[in-house]
């Protein structure tokens, strides 16, 4: 019986963690975008690497960010659209999507000076988004986990 | 080869014209697209004629997309080329640019690009055969300068001379100082033979010195010389015992004589043979070969 109660609470705890996963993925997305901006900047300034080379040579941990890069590469031959770029990317709000879209819309289309300036500006703003996403993830991850464990315990008390 | 152009334009061009005959495509914002084929100009339209009717007009967006694609989606990466007024794409195709120059003590970049001049090179094998015995006489290479106005086949002639050296088993080490990347697109289609080494996108002076130090060439080949630095560099390498095959923009030897920068080269009789080309009977018409005293030794047309 005791074993079943533990299993039940753990199951609810995991459900709570699962619910809060989107906040962690959002944080991971902005963390990867931050790394990407640094990679791109050094690639442009020091090696004049092509965008496609930079994107393909890096490995990112965020599945959403990887999907975004895949969509971006696919859109290069045609016209880049917000819908196309964020296909299978579901962790961002509309405002955040617009921010990321504006960056990719101009990526590779500017001369070296303007491109580096643009990256620096986006880097600063992305830091703010990352901080917000980190706060949200910290807050909601523990909140949802605790809440679901609490619900599990209440259910257990009622049953027992 | 033309995959940097919009798909519709690409298919229209290739359905209207034979790729091997296209020399140049001119794209100007809000103006009709013009294609030069075998020295004749055509508006790009459904009729394949000089008529303006149904012509395709270029837009700013079209030009921006061509630049974006030709830079492999990374305009910043070709800024050094843009500063010199062109972008090189695979196949040795040169896209000349016109727009607004950003200048601050030096050219920083060109933006708001409004005109493109896309020059398509072709390898025409054996084009140099009529003058080849002036390039190599008595088994030894001469210093050769190809003279012609723009678009008359200088680069094609130089390319074929290099190819023929290999074809005829002259095992000279040929160093190609290819400042604009037009001469030696070895990785795509162009066959320059077995004995050449290419150094691209470096100015001639530094390129010659680097080649001299590192590749021990017997012959240095370079395109479109003109500046004072180029002349000094050519004189220097010739004095090092290396032969030179080069080209220059001029209508004929008389026009060359009036170029101040060439005075020393002409006075010192550094060049052994001058080959003059024109478009008189089509691109690459050989008008004559001249010796170091500028006496015509081969008639041509």
């Amino acid at each position: 019986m005791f074993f079943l109660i533990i299993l039940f609470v753990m199951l609810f705890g995991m459900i709570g963690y699962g619910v809060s996963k989107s906040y962690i993925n959002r944080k991971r997305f902005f963390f990867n975008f931050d790394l990407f901006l640094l990679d791109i900047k050094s690639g442009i300034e020091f090696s004049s690497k092509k965008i496609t080379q930079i994107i393909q040579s890096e490995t990112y941990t965020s599945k959403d960010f990887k999907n975004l890069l895949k969509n971006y590469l696919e859109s290069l031959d045609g016209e880049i659209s917000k819908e196309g770029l964020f296909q299978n990317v579901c962790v961002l709000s509309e405002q955040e999507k617009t921010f990321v879209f504006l960056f990719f819309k101009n990526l590779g289309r500017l001369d070296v000076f303007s491109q580096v300036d643009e990256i620096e500006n986006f880097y600063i703003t992305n830091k703010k988004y990352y901080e917000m996403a980190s706060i949200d993830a910290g807050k909601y991850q523990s909140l949802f986990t605790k809440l679901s464990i609490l619900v599990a315990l209440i259910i257990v008390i009622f049953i027992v | 080869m033309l995959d940097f152009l919009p798909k519709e334009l690409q298919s229209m061009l290739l359905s209207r014209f034979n790729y091997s005959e296209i020399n140049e495509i001119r794209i100007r914002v809000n103006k009709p697209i013009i294609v030069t084929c075998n020295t004749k100009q055509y508006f790009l339209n459904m009729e394949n004629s000089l008529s303006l009717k149904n012509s395709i007009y270029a837009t700013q967006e079209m030009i921006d997309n061509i630049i974006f694609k030709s830079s492999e989606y990374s305009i910043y990466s070709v800024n050094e080329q843009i500063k010199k007024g062109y972008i090189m794409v695979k196949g040795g195709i040169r896209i000349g640019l016109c727009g607004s120059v950003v200048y601050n003590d030096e050219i920083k970049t060109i933006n708001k690009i409004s005109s493109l001049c896309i020059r398509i090179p072709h390898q025409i094998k054996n084009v140099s055969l009529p003058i080849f015995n002036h390039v190599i006489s008595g088994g030894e290479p001469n210093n050769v300068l190809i003279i012609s106005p723009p678009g008359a086949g200088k680069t094609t002639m130089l390319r074929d001379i290099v190819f023929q050296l290999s074809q005829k088993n002259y095992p000279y080490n040929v160093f190609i100082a290819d400042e604009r990347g037009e001469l030696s697109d070895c990785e795509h289609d162009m066959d320059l033979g077995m004995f050449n080494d290419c150094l691209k996108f470096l100015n001639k002076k530094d390129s010659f010195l680097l080649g001299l130090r590192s590749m021990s060439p017997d012959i240095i080949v370079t395109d479109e010389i003109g500046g004072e630095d180029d002349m000094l560099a050519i004189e220097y390498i010739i004095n090092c015992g290396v032969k030179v095959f080069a080209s220059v923009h001029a209508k004929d030897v008389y026009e060359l004589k009036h170029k101040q920068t060439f005075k020393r080269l002409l006075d010192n009789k550094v060049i052994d043979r001058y080959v003059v080309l024109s478009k008189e009977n089509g691109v690459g018409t050989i008008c004559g070969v001249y010796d170091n005293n500028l006496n015509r030794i081969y008639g041509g047309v």
Side-chain angles (χ1 to χ4, degrees):
Chain A
M1 182 66 176
F2 179 72
F3 179 70
L4 275 176
I5 291 169
I6 295 289
L7 206 67
F8 189 70
V9 171
M10 271 175 69
L11 185 72
F12 263 68
M14 278 166 72
I15 291 170
Y17 180 79
V19 172
S20 66
K21 191 90 172 132
S22 67
Y23 290 96
I24 298 163
N25 288 342
R26 184 164 152 258
K27 177 188 165 184
R28 199 173 284 158
F29 180 94
F30 285 113
F31 180 71
N32 278 199
F33 190 35
D34 185 272
L35 289 178
F36 177 71
L37 290 170
L38 287 176
D39 284 341
I40 285 261
K41 187 170 177 259
S42 60
I44 290 172
E45 282 186 317
F46 302 114
S47 58
S48 273
K49 271 189 187 170
K50 306 284 181 189
I51 289 291
T52 46
Q53 287 176 304
I54 299 172
I55 291 177
Q56 278 155 2
S57 66
E58 299 303 331
T59 47
Y60 296 99
T61 52
S62 164
K63 197 179 155 199
D64 292 283
F65 193 70
K66 279 195 249 184
N67 284 340
L68 177 107
L69 292 182
K70 189 173 152 266
N71 296 338
Y72 173 70
L73 289 177
E74 280 169 6
S75 74
L76 281 173
D77 276 333
E79 204 168 309
I80 185 167
S81 72
K82 205 169 161 183
E83 295 72 37
L85 190 65
F86 292 103
Q87 232 173 43
N88 300 324
V89 180
C90 35
V91 289
L92 303 182
S93 68
E94 270 313 302
Q95 191 194 350
E96 288 164 346
K97 279 182 183 174
T98 306
F99 162 72
V100 176
F101 176 69
L102 286 177
F103 176 78
F104 280 94
K105 200 178 164 207
N106 281 333
L107 184 59
R109 288 186 176 269
L110 304 172
D111 63 75
V112 67
F113 309 103
S114 314
Q115 193 73 72
V116 169
D117 282 350
E118 172 117 329
I119 292 169
E120 282 169 354
N121 287 331
F122 273 83
Y123 183 75
I124 293 165
T125 316
N126 187 60
K127 274 268 176 251
K128 288 176 189 157
Y129 278 113
Y130 175 64
E131 278 165 22
M132 269 155 49
S134 299
I135 293 167
D136 285 351
K139 199 161 68 183
Y140 293 112
Q141 188 193 352
S142 62
L143 181 76
F144 280 115
T145 313
K146 283 174 192 166
L147 214 64
S148 49
I149 291 172
L150 196 69
V151 170
L153 285 173
I154 292 168
I155 295 171
V156 166
I157 290 164
F158 271 105
I159 292 171
V160 175
Chain B
M1 281 298 189
L2 297 173
D3 47 11
F4 55 89
L5 292 176
K7 287 217 163 54
E8 318 78 66
L9 204 63
Q10 221 182 103
S11 54
M12 187 172 278
L13 264 167
L14 297 176
S15 65
R16 308 295 315 157
F17 303 97
N18 184 348
Y19 178 78
S20 62
E21 291 176 353
I22 303 174
N23 307 118
E24 201 175 86
I25 305 162
R26 298 249 177 197
I27 301 179
R28 302 174 173 107
V29 69
N30 300 330
K31 304 269 167 54
I33 295 170
I34 297 168
V35 182
T36 306
C37 228
N38 285 335
T39 70
K40 283 187 187 140
Q41 293 189 314
Y42 303 90
F43 289 116
L44 186 59
N45 57 20
M46 297 317 288
E47 280 105 37
N48 193 13
S49 67
L50 272 170
S51 153
L52 254 174
K53 202 179 160 194
N54 296 333
S55 295
I56 313 292
Y57 278 67
T59 61
Q60 187 63 58
E61 194 190 349
M62 182 192 279
I63 290 177
D64 290 345
N65 282 332
I66 291 171
I67 305 285
F68 182 55
K69 263 184 130 177
S70 58
S71 67
E72 291 175 59
Y73 317 109
S74 313
I75 290 176
Y76 63 82
S77 69
V78 292
N79 201 54
E80 285 305 311
Q81 291 178 29
I82 290 177
K83 277 158 75 171
K84 292 176 190 162
Y86 60 84
I87 297 176
M88 289 305 302
V89 291
K90 63 181 176 186
I93 296 172
R94 185 174 76 179
I95 306 179
L97 313 167
C98 246
S100 306
V101 174
V102 180
Y103 193 89
N104 186 7
D105 293 332
E106 55 167 354
I107 297 174
K108 295 283 182 193
T109 190
I110 302 175
N111 57 27
K112 293 177 192 154
I113 291 162
S114 54
S115 297
L116 306 176
C117 169
I118 302 168
R119 291 189 63 185
I120 300 166
H122 299 292
Q123 181 168 26
I124 305 172
K125 286 186 179 165
N126 302 333
V127 75
S128 69
L129 287 183
I131 53 120
F132 196 76
N133 60 336
H134 297 285
V135 175
I136 306 274
S137 7
E140 285 296 312
N142 288 314
N143 293 311
V144 179
L145 186 64
I146 317 268
I147 302 166
S148 91
K154 287 184 300 296
T155 311
T156 309
M157 182 64 82
L158 274 177
R159 218 180 272 131
D160 193 57
I161 289 173
V162 176
F163 173 70
Q164 292 300 336
L165 283 174
S166 170
Q167 280 295 99
K168 293 178 184 298
N169 287 319
Y170 287 106
Y172 296 116
N173 291 312
V174 180
F175 177 78
I176 303 173
D178 194 3
E179 190 173 357
R180 296 177 200 179
E182 280 182 300
L183 253 173
S184 59
D185 194 51
C186 311
E187 59 267 34
H188 299 100
D189 291 341
M190 284 181 191
D191 179 10
L192 296 184
M194 295 172 288
F195 306 114
N196 60 78
D197 312 293
C198 320
L199 187 71
K200 291 185 184 183
F201 304 125
L202 183 63
N203 68 63
K204 291 182 183 72
K205 190 179 141 204
D206 293 335
S207 197
F208 289 179
L209 290 177
L210 201 148
L212 207 56
R213 272 191 233 119
S214 57
M215 302 310 291
S216 309
D218 301 307
I219 300 166
I220 290 185
V221 179
T222 193
D223 207 6
E224 295 181 14
I225 57 169
E228 194 70 46
D229 278 357
D230 295 350
M231 301 306 138
L232 292 172
I234 282 180
E235 261 199 284
Y236 177 74
I237 52 161
I238 286 174
N239 289 334
C240 291
V242 178
K243 297 291 180 180
V244 173
F245 299 164
S247 72
V248 63
H249 281 142
K251 190 175 165 241
D252 48 37
V253 281
Y254 307 104
E255 206 174 282
L256 188 74
K257 272 185 188 175
H258 289 101
K259 289 192 180 222
Q260 206 53 42
T261 45
F262 280 84
K263 197 172 181 313
R264 248 172 77 97
L265 219 61
L266 290 165
D267 289 349
N268 295 344
K269 299 186 170 48
V270 171
I271 301 294
D272 303 311
R273 294 289 181 268
Y274 298 89
V275 178
V276 181
L277 305 179
S278 77
K279 298 184 206 172
E280 217 170 300
N281 295 338
V283 175
T285 305
I286 299 165
C287 292
V289 179
Y290 298 75
D291 67 9
N292 57 1
N293 291 313
L294 299 182
N295 295 318
R296 183 186 278 228
I297 53 172
Y298 173 74
V301 291

